[in-house]
C-alpha cells in the first residue's frame, strides 16, 4: 500500500526533525554556557551544522507532506482546491519559486575554511586550485628541462664548470 509507506516516511521525517531541533537547542545552550574560545567555536560549528540539518529535514518533511496531499487531491477529484489548499500545479509552481537552503553563494574565503561544508562551489574551487598548481608545476618542469638542455649543450662545447651544474640539476629534478 503506497500511502502507508508515505505516511511512515512522513512519521520518520517528523521524528528526525524533532530530534534535530532538540539537538539544535542543546547546542545553542552549550554556546551560551561555555567560556573557552575553542570550545565556543566548536559549539558554534555544531549549531551551524544542526541548523543546516533542521532546514534540510523541514524541506524534506514539507516535500513528503506535499506529495501525500497531492496524492489525496488526485484521488478525491483532481486539481480542485482540497482542504483549503491550492491545486497541485499551483503548489508545484510555488515550490519552484522558493529558494533552496543549499543554493547560497559563499566567498572564496568562506570556501577555503576547513569548517565550511562540502559543496559544489567548494569542490569547484579546489579543482581550479589543483589545476593551477599542476600548471605551475608543469611550467617549472619545462623550464628546468630547458635549462638542462642549455647546460648540456654548453658541456658539449667544453665548459667543465657547467657540467657540475648539470649534474646538480639532474639530482634536484
Amino acid at each position: 500500500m503506497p500511502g502507508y509507506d508515505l505516511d511512515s516516511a512522513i512519521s520518520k521525517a517528523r521524528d528526525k526533525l524533532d530530534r534535530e531541533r532538540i539537538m539544535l537547542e542543546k547546542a545553542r545552550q552549550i554556546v551560551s554556557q561555555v567560556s573557552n574560545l575553542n570550545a565556543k567555536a566548536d559549539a558554534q560549528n555544531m549549531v551551524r551544522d544542526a541548523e543546516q540539518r533542521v532546514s534540510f529535514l523541514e524541506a524534506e518533511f514539507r516535500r513528503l507532506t506535499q506529495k501525500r496531499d497531492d496524492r489525496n487531491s488526485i484521488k478525491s477529484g483532481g486539481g480542485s482546491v482540497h482542504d483549503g489548499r491550492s491545486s497541485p500545479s499551483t503548489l508545484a509552481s510555488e515550490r519552484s519559486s522558493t529558494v533552496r537552503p543549499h543554493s547560497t553563494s559563499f566567498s572564496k574565503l568562506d570556501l577555503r575554511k576547513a569548517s565550511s561544508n562540502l559543496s559544489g562551489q567548494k569542490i569547484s574551487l579546489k579543482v581550479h586550485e589543483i589545476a593551477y598548481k599542476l600548471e605551475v608545476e608543469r611550467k617549472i618542469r619545462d623550464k628546468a628541462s630547458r635549462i638542462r638542455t642549455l647546460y648540456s649543450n654548453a658541456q658539449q662545447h667544453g665548459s667543465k664548470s657547467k657540467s657540475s651544474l648539470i649534474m646538480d640539476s639532474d639530482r634536484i629534478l
Side-chain angles (χ1 to χ4, degrees):
M1 189 170 195
Y4 177 74
D5 293 336
L6 189 57
D7 288 336
S8 66
I10 290 171
S11 175
K12 287 178 184 178
R14 184 182 308 116
D15 292 341
K16 287 180 184 178
L17 182 60
D18 291 340
R19 280 193 304 263
E20 283 300 324
R21 284 182 177 154
I22 292 170
M23 292 297 292
L24 176 61
E25 208 42 52
K26 297 298 181 184
R28 285 183 178 152
Q29 288 176 359
I30 291 172
V31 169
S32 66
Q33 294 173 354
V34 173
S35 60
N36 184 338
L37 294 178
N38 291 332
K40 188 171 275 219
D42 289 342
Q44 288 171 343
N45 286 337
M46 287 174 25
V47 167
R48 188 177 328 112
D49 292 342
E51 286 172 344
Q52 289 176 348
R53 287 191 300 270
V54 164
S55 66
F56 171 77
L57 288 171
E58 285 174 343
E60 185 69 14
F61 181 73
R62 282 192 304 271
R63 184 187 66 79
L64 290 171
T65 55
Q66 185 60 46
K67 189 175 183 180
R68 181 191 62 196
D69 294 343
D70 288 349
R71 282 187 184 171
N72 289 342
S73 66
I74 290 171
K75 288 178 184 177
S76 67
S80 63
V81 175
H82 179 70
D83 293 329
R85 295 189 177 117
S86 302
S87 68
S89 61
T90 307
L91 292 171
S93 65
E94 287 175 0
R95 263 186 270 144
S96 66
S97 67
T98 59
V99 177
R100 298 178 69 188
H102 300 290
S103 65
T104 58
S105 62
F106 300 100
S107 70
K108 287 187 178 182
L109 178 63
D110 291 336
L111 293 173
R112 284 190 175 99
K113 290 181 182 176
S115 63
S116 66
N117 291 334
L118 194 60
S119 66
Q121 291 174 330
K122 186 171 185 174
I123 292 170
S124 176
L125 177 68
K126 293 297 181 183
V127 166
H128 287 293
E129 286 178 351
I130 291 170
Y132 174 75
K133 289 176 182 179
L134 288 173
E135 181 66 21
V136 169
E137 286 181 13
R138 186 192 60 79
K139 287 179 181 179
I140 290 171
R141 188 177 51 244
D142 292 345
K143 299 300 178 183
S145 67
R146 184 172 176 216
I147 290 171
R148 190 180 317 125
T149 58
L150 288 174
Y151 280 133
S152 66
N153 289 342
Q155 182 187 14
Q156 291 172 354
H157 295 297
S159 174
K160 298 276 182 181
S161 64
K162 291 185 180 177
S163 65
S164 64
L165 293 174
I166 294 171
M167 299 306 265
D168 289 339
S169 69
D170 286 339
R171 275 184 266 156
I172 293 171
L173 298 176

